[in-house]
Amino acid sequence: GVVCGGRDAMDAPSYLGNSGFCFCLLQLKVVAINENLDLVHQNHVLFDSELPEFRTQGGVHVQADKLTVTSPVLMWVKALDLILDKMKDAGFDFSSVRALSGSGQQHGSVYWKKGAGQVLKQLDPGRPLGNVLWMDSSTSEQCSSLESAVGGAQNLTNITGSRAYERFTGNQIAKIQQSNPEKYSETERISLVSSFGASLFRGDYAAVDYSDGSGMNLMDIFSKKWAQPCLEATAPHLEAKLGAPLVSTAVLGEVSSYYVTRYGFSPDCKVVAFTGDNPGSLAGMRLREGDIAVSLGTSDTVFLWIKEPRPTIEGHVFCNPVDSDSYMALICYKNGSFTRERIRNERAGGSWDTFSRALNATPVGNDGNLGIYFDTLEITPSAVGVYRVNEQDQTVEGFPGEVEIRALVEGQFLAKRVHAEKLGYKIMPGTQILATGGASSNTDILQVLSDVFNAPVYTIDVANSACLGCAYRAAHGKISVWSAWGSKFVC
């Protein structure tokens, strides 16, 4: 994200602002905002089509075992050069950028060889950037080992905010150290995708931020330090390779002279800590304490702002990227739109209008009839099957059509509220629900969501939420060293 201020950036030859960069799975994106948080520039580079020499599909290489996924990090580096060139060709005034930040695909890891840190400090503005390696592995064995080492899944969750997950960084590191100890020993620094991006802009190794660091199964989310039992169970000498984590709003320093000379950035431009794409999205949606964001797509996802978390093995708790004294939670549900579409087809003749009329024809609470619909193995909780209970708490095989439709929608949203409250979420005066995704276009479905949470629902566009969130975070971080911006930043 980039922050810009002053006169309107599209009309004036010079403007002051902030930028946000997102190292995503499919593309590299950038947005710039002015001091009023208005969007003034956006751009992107599509990896598959604009950098075909890397032969990626969906931005990655899937290895022969079908479990290991790698992304050529040189592709990301070239994409950064390319997107900055695009901005320059569009007349973007880099000298106006006061601060920048960014986000990266959460859980991914980058391994720097010994000596790479010195190379970063000596980047030649006359030449393109360099090369490292990113890897994501299937790590079920390492997950089991980590949970056992700390006394079980719930104990690990109590420390790190999540039980062990294959995609989480700590388990990737363990797999790499065990399968290739020589390369691990040659590794000078391990970055997340986010801190890798920040390192490129700083010209030096950048710290992992608290929020993205929460998605590694390695950090104590309460002390905000690396958890020693987790480090010891993962790999030797790991703490030194990770460096100390840092608050997500920290100003890391000024942008590297490479970008000052090559693109005309101001030498005073600040680099604010980069974070993960999910934390970046929370900032981009401008959630506040008590707010909830619900994405209603193929899978449903819930974002929460929590003050006093109670981690459980169902869901994730991360440090908050905006408020270091708060937390965010993320809950994923596999049975989303496909399940809603199945009930629509079976009970409403394939018509969303008929589906909506059924919701309007049945009372809030569905006269005590409740349904749980897990067509495929659910994530939260781990279960499969369809379960129906009538007003007398008796298990039944089916409901009348209109009752079935309301049972599905109410059941899905009740589950979200129950799981959210288990994690420590509290509905407060002023709580707002932000809805996005395909089903958010159906106002009758949203009315049920509002009824279940007893809060107003608003629809939002989150197409660039992670990127925009990092532009906001750049502004937020800049405030800490320039208090005059305090009255102009709203999150």
Side-chain angles (χ1 to χ4, degrees):
V2 179
V3 181
C4 309
R7 294 175 292 174
D8 187 278
M10 302 305 291
D11 300 327
S14 175
Y15 56 90
L16 301 173
N18 305 291
S19 295
F21 293 84
C22 182
F23 290 80
C24 305
L25 183 63
L26 302 176
Q27 60 186 317
L28 173 62
K29 297 189 289 187
V30 63
V31 301
I33 60 172
N34 63 19
E35 62 179 357
N36 296 317
L37 306 187
D38 300 321
L39 181 68
V40 297
H41 182 87
Q42 56 185 325
N43 224 313
H44 67 272
V45 171
L46 297 173
F47 297 143
D48 291 1
S49 59
E50 295 187 68
L51 294 167
E53 64 268 30
F54 293 99
R55 301 180 182 275
T56 57
Q57 292 186 335
V60 300
H61 296 146
V62 179
Q63 304 303 308
D65 61 5
K66 305 298 183 184
L67 298 173
T68 304
V69 179
T70 63
S71 182
V73 179
L74 180 57
M75 176 183 71
W76 292 346
V77 174
K78 284 195 172 184
L80 181 56
D81 272 329
L82 181 55
I83 204 167
L84 292 172
D85 286 341
K86 283 186 172 186
M87 295 171 74
K88 188 174 183 178
D89 291 344
F92 186 86
D93 181 9
F94 291 102
S95 69
S96 68
V97 179
R98 289 173 170 170
L100 64 88
S101 188
S103 66
Q105 185 184 345
Q106 204 162 13
H107 316 303
S109 45
V110 178
Y111 301 81
W112 304 79
K113 293 192 302 183
K114 288 180 179 178
Q118 193 61 34
V119 173
L120 268 179
K121 294 175 183 178
Q122 299 174 344
L123 294 175
D124 180 355
R127 301 177 60 189
L129 297 166
N131 188 18
V132 289
L133 171 68
W134 174 68
M135 182 174 288
D136 175 30
S137 303
S138 174
T139 56
S140 56
E141 180 182 337
Q142 287 72 29
C143 289
S144 297
S145 177
L146 177 59
E147 289 184 346
S148 297
V150 299
Q154 185 59 56
N155 280 350
L156 181 63
T157 303
N158 293 340
I159 298 169
T160 70
S162 302
R163 67 173 304 165
Y165 283 89
E166 291 189 356
R167 65 185 183 277
F168 274 36
T169 323
N171 305 303
Q172 298 174 26
I173 294 170
K175 178 72 174 282
I176 289 170
Q177 190 277 327
Q178 292 165 19
S179 62
N180 205 329
E182 288 186 7
K183 285 199 172 179
Y184 176 80
S185 67
E186 293 170 2
T187 298
E188 180 174 86
R189 183 79 166 213
I190 300 174
S191 297
L192 296 180
V193 178
S194 57
S195 59
F196 163 75
S199 299
L200 293 181
F201 277 105
R202 279 284 295 128
D204 197 0
Y205 290 142
V208 170
D209 81 292
Y210 291 159
S211 194
D212 207 8
S214 308
M216 299 175 72
N217 278 149
L218 292 176
M219 196 184 84
D220 184 325
I221 62 171
F222 297 103
S223 70
K224 299 180 174 65
K225 297 178 180 178
W226 300 123
Q228 289 302 320
C230 298
L231 294 178
E232 292 168 6
T234 300
H237 314 298
L238 182 54
E239 187 168 11
K241 295 180 188 293
L242 292 173
L246 197 64
V247 63
S248 300
T249 55
V251 175
L252 302 177
E254 286 74 33
V255 70
S256 165
S257 59
Y258 173 90
Y259 301 94
V260 175
T261 303
R262 188 175 177 91
Y263 294 103
F265 277 85
S266 165
D268 296 324
C269 174
K270 306 299 182 186
V271 179
V272 176
F274 283 34
T275 193
D277 50 2
N278 287 317
S281 290
L282 179 131
M285 292 184 284
R286 294 162 74 173
L287 294 190
R288 303 166 300 178
E289 183 180 356
D291 286 351
I292 179 172
V294 182
S295 175
L296 301 171
T298 302
S299 298
D300 290 349
T301 306
V302 176
F303 290 82
L304 307 165
W305 181 304
I306 297 178
K307 202 71 175 180
E308 298 176 349
R310 298 190 299 268
T312 73
I313 59 173
E314 294 170 351
H316 309 284
V317 176
F318 304 133
C319 294
N320 192 299
V322 177
D323 178 0
S324 61
D325 294 325
S326 297
Y327 295 83
M328 65 170 284
L330 189 67
I331 315 173
C332 302
Y333 300 86
K334 193 170 186 179
N335 291 275
S337 63
F338 288 159
T339 303
R340 289 186 287 270
E341 289 167 5
R342 178 180 71 79
I343 296 298
R344 176 204 63 185
N345 294 339
E346 293 178 0
R347 296 297 196 165
S351 166
W352 285 119
D353 289 339
T354 304
F355 190 96
S356 291
R357 285 195 294 271
L359 290 175
N360 289 319
T362 46
V364 174
N366 209 20
D367 290 325
N369 296 295
L370 180 66
I372 299 173
Y373 301 80
F374 298 153
D375 290 356
T376 58
L377 181 63
E378 184 52 73
I379 300 169
T380 312
S382 180
V384 67
V386 176
Y387 309 89
R388 301 178 183 88
V389 177
N390 65 16
E391 70 278 9
Q392 297 174 332
D393 290 335
Q394 297 171 330
T395 300
V396 295
E397 290 299 316
F399 290 135
E402 292 178 346
V403 175
E404 184 97 83
I405 288 171
R406 179 166 280 275
L408 164 70
V409 179
E410 280 192 347
Q412 288 186 329
F413 292 146
L414 282 168
K416 291 171 176 54
R417 177 165 176 172
V418 167
H419 291 128
E421 291 180 346
K422 280 185 177 180
L423 286 169
Y425 173 73
K426 297 177 182 177
I427 297 174
M428 306 168 58
T431 285
Q432 300 179 21
I433 302 173
L434 308 181
T436 186
S440 67
S441 62
N442 187 314
T443 57
D444 298 295
I445 289 177
L446 296 187
Q447 182 61 56
V448 178
L449 176 60
S450 177
D451 293 339
V452 167
F453 281 86
N454 193 28
V457 176
Y458 302 89
T459 57
I460 55 171
D461 178 9
V462 295
N464 287 316
S465 61
C467 210
L468 191 59
C470 289
Y472 294 157
R473 290 180 56 257
H476 193 184
K478 182 69 175 175
I479 293 168
S480 66
V481 295
W482 189 4
S483 59
W485 265 42
S487 62
K488 296 180 180 178
F489 183 79
V490 181
C491 186

